[in-house]
Amino acid sequence: MSATLELTKDLISRPSVTPEDLGCQQRLAERLESIGFTIEHLRFGDTDNIWARRGTQSPVFAFAGHTDVVPTGPEENWTSPPFEPVIRDGLLYGRGTADMKGSIAAFVTACERFIANNNDHTGTIAFLITSDEEGPATGGTVKVIETLEARGEKIDWCLVGEPSSTNKVGDIVKNGRRGSLNGYLTVQGKQGHIAYPHLAENPIHLLAPVLTELCAIEWDQGNEDFPPTSFQVSNLNSGTGVTNVIPGTADIIFNFRYSTELTHEQLQQKVEAILDKHQLNYDLKWELSGKPFRTASGALVDAVKVAIKTTTGYDTELSTSGGTSDGRFIAPTGAQVVELGPLNATIHQVDECVSVTDLDTLSEIYETLLDQLLSK
């Protein structure tokens, strides 16, 4: 078995459901130390992180990833146990194979080969690995970046190993992400008997026309880099659970995935103006998960394109679609950020899997990228 497959299987066998790491980072640290990396373990709250460096000079190229995985759901629904990696028909099955322990293993093996041939490479190679990307993301990459910024350490180029590919490995590279803004809204009514509605005020009825208006708005038309801004309700709760009581409150959670055509402040103002227009008695709290970012053509994007073309023979496509990633914490520092990993067809699903061949191809792409950027 290849070195990348072997390491991926090792990591998969550790049930590191967020925010647990369960020794994954220690295993990575051992491999990296053996090829000249200095390892710094950083723990914030319940989250383990490592910041590893080989070199002291700029430019700094960082691999970023996470060792935590989402819960498996009922394990009896899996064809084989989710934390017992098994190969069937050329696919490696297990929780985290695609998101994103396979990428992390490919990071390491790519570095091992690159350093064996380029012991005195230019610049610095770094690893930023966390264990809370799949959770609230409060003690992981965001805290490591704060620590680096406070002491003046900068990342110039960053590759996040999120599963970006669609049909074949490397066909899609994320060079940006939309912003994500959450709203937590409570509409106040007046509880009462359902047979006497004139003595009550139904918050669901009050909320309904507001939701109709919010769902009908064309927030923007997007642009050449981003799709249009979208508004989606994720949770709606009200009622006492019985049939004869008008509820006193209605709670709703909603999300904007927004382009660079709008700011989160503008979205907040528009929503609040609609609520006020309908004269609702409400409480609204906002949570900004990340601002939109985009890495334009330049050294990193160009080198990624060449690495994919050299390794696979086909051209890649740049995209800003999909959800958020830890790139949203790294890009604001001025770093160029891209995301490149395996196919995303089975991520967070039962029987998550990755092609064994794709793991080796991914490792080769990463090695070629290092050649492009840091070879003398």
Side-chain angles (χ1 to χ4, degrees):
M1 103 180 40
S2 74
T4 306
L5 175 59
E6 184 178 16
L7 181 54
T8 302
K9 291 179 70 175
D10 184 348
L11 298 175
I12 295 302
S13 68
R14 303 167 191 266
S16 55
V17 176
T18 189
E20 297 295 334
D21 172 71
L22 298 184
C24 291
Q25 291 178 21
Q26 183 57 43
R27 182 74 179 109
L28 299 175
E30 292 167 359
R31 294 283 285 262
L32 294 174
E33 280 183 314
S34 70
I35 53 173
F37 280 79
T38 300
I39 311 296
E40 185 176 2
H41 293 272
L42 299 167
R43 185 173 175 86
F44 301 100
D46 59 2
T47 301
D48 289 307
N49 308 279
I50 56 173
W51 171 244
R53 291 182 62 121
R54 189 182 197 274
T56 58
Q57 304 298 314
S58 61
V60 176
F61 174 88
F63 288 108
H66 59 90
T67 53
D68 60 317
V69 298
V70 295
T72 63
E75 293 196 13
E76 59 269 22
N77 293 339
W78 287 66
T79 304
S80 53
F83 297 112
E84 295 179 16
V86 62
I87 297 172
R88 296 192 299 274
D89 299 322
L91 299 174
L92 174 65
Y93 287 84
R95 175 58 86 221
T97 49
D99 189 12
M100 56 176 291
K101 291 180 175 180
S103 297
I104 291 176
F107 291 168
V108 173
T109 56
C111 284
E112 289 172 339
R113 295 192 307 275
F114 173 75
I115 290 168
N117 297 317
N118 299 272
N119 187 58
D120 59 345
H121 60 80
T122 62
T124 296
I125 308 173
F127 277 66
L128 196 172
I129 307 296
T130 184
S131 68
D132 87 333
E133 195 274 347
E134 299 289 9
T138 55
T141 299
V142 63
K143 288 294 186 183
V144 176
I145 289 296
E146 288 176 4
T147 301
L148 299 181
E149 288 285 288
R151 61 197 193 196
E153 286 189 66
K154 287 287 187 180
I155 296 171
D156 298 287
W157 304 314
C158 181
L159 187 144
V160 186
E162 290 291 346
S164 63
S165 304
T166 300
N167 297 310
K168 49 189 179 181
V169 66
D171 62 350
I172 301 289
V173 169
K174 307 287 188 181
N175 67 322
R177 292 283 189 165
R178 293 174 293 175
S180 179
L181 176 67
N182 297 304
Y184 299 84
L185 172 66
T186 297
V187 175
Q188 298 290 338
K190 183 180 179 182
Q191 184 173 313
H193 196 294
I194 208 160
Y196 300 93
H198 60 289
L199 299 178
E201 191 173 30
N202 194 319
I204 301 174
H205 295 187
L206 297 173
L207 179 60
V210 175
L211 278 182
T212 299
E213 185 169 347
L214 289 171
C215 291
I217 291 176
E218 181 182 67
W219 300 92
D220 60 46
Q221 295 183 337
N223 52 41
E224 63 179 6
D225 300 314
F226 291 90
T229 293
S230 68
F231 167 84
Q232 290 292 319
V233 174
S234 59
N235 289 267
L236 178 58
N237 298 288
S238 190
T240 62
V242 298
T243 62
N244 60 351
V245 177
I246 294 171
T249 61
D251 298 301
I252 180 173
I253 302 175
F254 58 88
N255 174 268
F256 285 99
R257 293 300 165 103
Y258 67 99
S259 74
T260 50
E261 293 295 303
L262 291 168
T263 65
H264 68 279
E265 292 93 348
Q266 289 173 318
L267 290 170
Q268 291 173 199
Q269 291 166 6
K270 286 188 175 186
V271 171
E272 291 168 9
I274 291 170
L275 293 170
D276 293 338
K277 181 182 73 174
H278 287 267
Q279 299 182 328
L280 296 186
N281 179 11
Y282 68 90
D283 177 68
L284 177 57
K285 295 181 173 61
W286 293 101
E287 176 190 63
L288 179 65
S289 297
K291 296 179 180 180
F293 70 90
R294 175 182 174 272
T295 297
S297 293
L300 180 59
V301 169
D302 294 347
V304 167
K305 289 180 177 179
V306 171
I308 293 171
K309 180 74 170 181
T310 301
T311 304
T312 68
Y314 49 78
D315 296 317
T316 192
E317 177 185 340
L318 301 178
S319 172
T320 60
S321 64
T324 59
S325 77
D326 276 0
R328 69 190 189 273
F329 303 126
I330 301 167
T333 68
Q336 297 177 35
V337 179
V338 297
E339 299 173 24
L340 170 58
L343 272 63
N344 54 31
T346 63
I347 59 174
H348 292 205
Q349 295 183 18
V350 169
D351 286 345
E352 179 182 349
C353 60
V354 67
S355 162
V356 171
T357 301
D358 284 355
L359 288 175
D360 290 328
T361 301
L362 197 59
S363 182
E364 290 176 26
I365 292 172
Y366 294 157
E367 181 187 5
T368 305
L369 178 59
L370 291 170
D371 276 327
Q372 291 287 316
L373 294 173
L374 299 180
S375 288
K376 284 190 173 178

